[in-house]
Amino acid sequence: APFQPPPPRPPMPVEAPAALNGFWNSPAGQELAGEISRHNEEVASGSSRGIAAHAEAVLSDRLANLLRNAGVSPRAAKKLSFVRKIKDAAARDLISEKEKIALDLLRKIRNEVAHEKIGTFYTETVSELCNSLRECLANYVTYQQAKSLDDRWIDLIFINAYTILSSSQEARANPNMHARIVN
């Protein structure tokens, strides 16, 4: 399709660059930068299993952090399974219904990729789940729907959705971050 430029964005507030620099120089910003670097290394490796497992690990930590901030003991929050963290965070209104659905889809994708012999994003089931994930986050995801198993959008949809959900959860836990929250 011919290129269509994205809609214009509102101008960035004058104080935003200083706040953003302050965040990236803070311990939380440094930790997030390290997580992003580790995830980029996983993506560069090309391992579908590695990408999916790493994404779930980071999102699980983000959910545990939200639960701790809501009064759940650190030990209890850490011990919960990923699916239980999703359910508990949603029950406490720590994440939106859309985030809950997207996180659950991401969890299903991770399970498919991790537990199948092939271990790849390029199966019919994973392709369908990634397209559902894309539809769930349509206002946030920049990639188009995958149309076949040869379509390279499948893993990019997953990676993009992971990035959006990770940033959204981090922003919920750290209001100084100024990231877009999935509502």
PDB file of all heavy atoms in Angstrom, residues 24 53 64 72 81 90 175:
ATOM      1  N   TRP A  24      15.407   8.611  32.815  1.00  0.00           N
ATOM      2  CA  TRP A  24      16.434   7.691  32.315  1.00  0.00           C
ATOM      3  C   TRP A  24      17.709   7.730  33.157  1.00  0.00           C
ATOM      4  O   TRP A  24      18.462   6.752  33.182  1.00  0.00           O
ATOM      5  CB  TRP A  24      16.754   7.989  30.847  1.00  0.00           C
ATOM      6  CG  TRP A  24      15.661   7.541  29.939  1.00  0.00           C
ATOM      7  CD1 TRP A  24      14.875   8.329  29.167  1.00  0.00           C
ATOM      8  CD2 TRP A  24      15.192   6.207  29.725  1.00  0.00           C
ATOM      9  NE1 TRP A  24      13.952   7.563  28.485  1.00  0.00           N
ATOM     10  CE2 TRP A  24      14.117   6.262  28.808  1.00  0.00           C
ATOM     11  CE3 TRP A  24      15.564   4.964  30.228  1.00  0.00           C
ATOM     12  CZ2 TRP A  24      13.434   5.129  28.379  1.00  0.00           C
ATOM     13  CZ3 TRP A  24      14.870   3.834  29.792  1.00  0.00           C
ATOM     14  CH2 TRP A  24      13.831   3.925  28.889  1.00  0.00           C
ATOM     15  N   ALA A  53       9.846 -16.064  26.272  1.00  0.00           N
ATOM     16  CA  ALA A  53      10.137 -16.301  27.692  1.00  0.00           C
ATOM     17  C   ALA A  53      10.624 -15.025  28.371  1.00  0.00           C
ATOM     18  O   ALA A  53      10.227 -14.720  29.501  1.00  0.00           O
ATOM     19  CB  ALA A  53      11.173 -17.417  27.833  1.00  0.00           C
ATOM     20  N   ALA A  64       4.189  -8.008  39.366  1.00  0.00           N
ATOM     21  CA  ALA A  64       4.538  -8.186  40.780  1.00  0.00           C
ATOM     22  C   ALA A  64       4.794  -6.831  41.432  1.00  0.00           C
ATOM     23  O   ALA A  64       4.377  -6.597  42.576  1.00  0.00           O
ATOM     24  CB  ALA A  64       5.770  -9.088  40.913  1.00  0.00           C
ATOM     25  N   VAL A  72       0.387  -6.018  48.387  1.00  0.00           N
ATOM     26  CA  VAL A  72       0.705  -7.448  48.444  1.00  0.00           C
ATOM     27  C   VAL A  72       2.158  -7.576  48.886  1.00  0.00           C
ATOM     28  O   VAL A  72       3.019  -6.822  48.431  1.00  0.00           O
ATOM     29  CB  VAL A  72       0.483  -8.120  47.066  1.00  0.00           C
ATOM     30  CG1 VAL A  72       0.897  -9.578  47.090  1.00  0.00           C
ATOM     31  CG2 VAL A  72      -0.968  -7.970  46.630  1.00  0.00           C
ATOM     32  N   SER A  81       2.010 -17.187  40.031  1.00  0.00           N
ATOM     33  CA  SER A  81       2.235 -17.508  38.624  1.00  0.00           C
ATOM     34  C   SER A  81       1.869 -16.285  37.782  1.00  0.00           C
ATOM     35  O   SER A  81       1.185 -15.377  38.249  1.00  0.00           O
ATOM     36  CB  SER A  81       1.372 -18.700  38.212  1.00  0.00           C
ATOM     37  OG  SER A  81      -0.001 -18.335  38.237  1.00  0.00           O
ATOM     38  N   ALA A  90      -5.814  -7.401  37.718  1.00  0.00           N
ATOM     39  CA  ALA A  90      -7.089  -6.963  37.136  1.00  0.00           C
ATOM     40  C   ALA A  90      -8.157  -6.832  38.218  1.00  0.00           C
ATOM     41  O   ALA A  90      -8.930  -5.867  38.215  1.00  0.00           O
ATOM     42  CB  ALA A  90      -7.534  -7.939  36.054  1.00  0.00           C
ATOM     43  N   PRO A 175       4.650   6.996  38.075  1.00  0.00           N
ATOM     44  CA  PRO A 175       3.987   8.104  37.373  1.00  0.00           C
ATOM     45  C   PRO A 175       4.956   9.121  36.755  1.00  0.00           C
ATOM     46  O   PRO A 175       4.585   9.856  35.868  1.00  0.00           O
ATOM     47  CB  PRO A 175       3.133   8.762  38.449  1.00  0.00           C
ATOM     48  CG  PRO A 175       3.027   7.780  39.546  1.00  0.00           C
ATOM     49  CD  PRO A 175       4.229   6.886  39.455  1.00  0.00           C
TER      50      PRO A 175
END
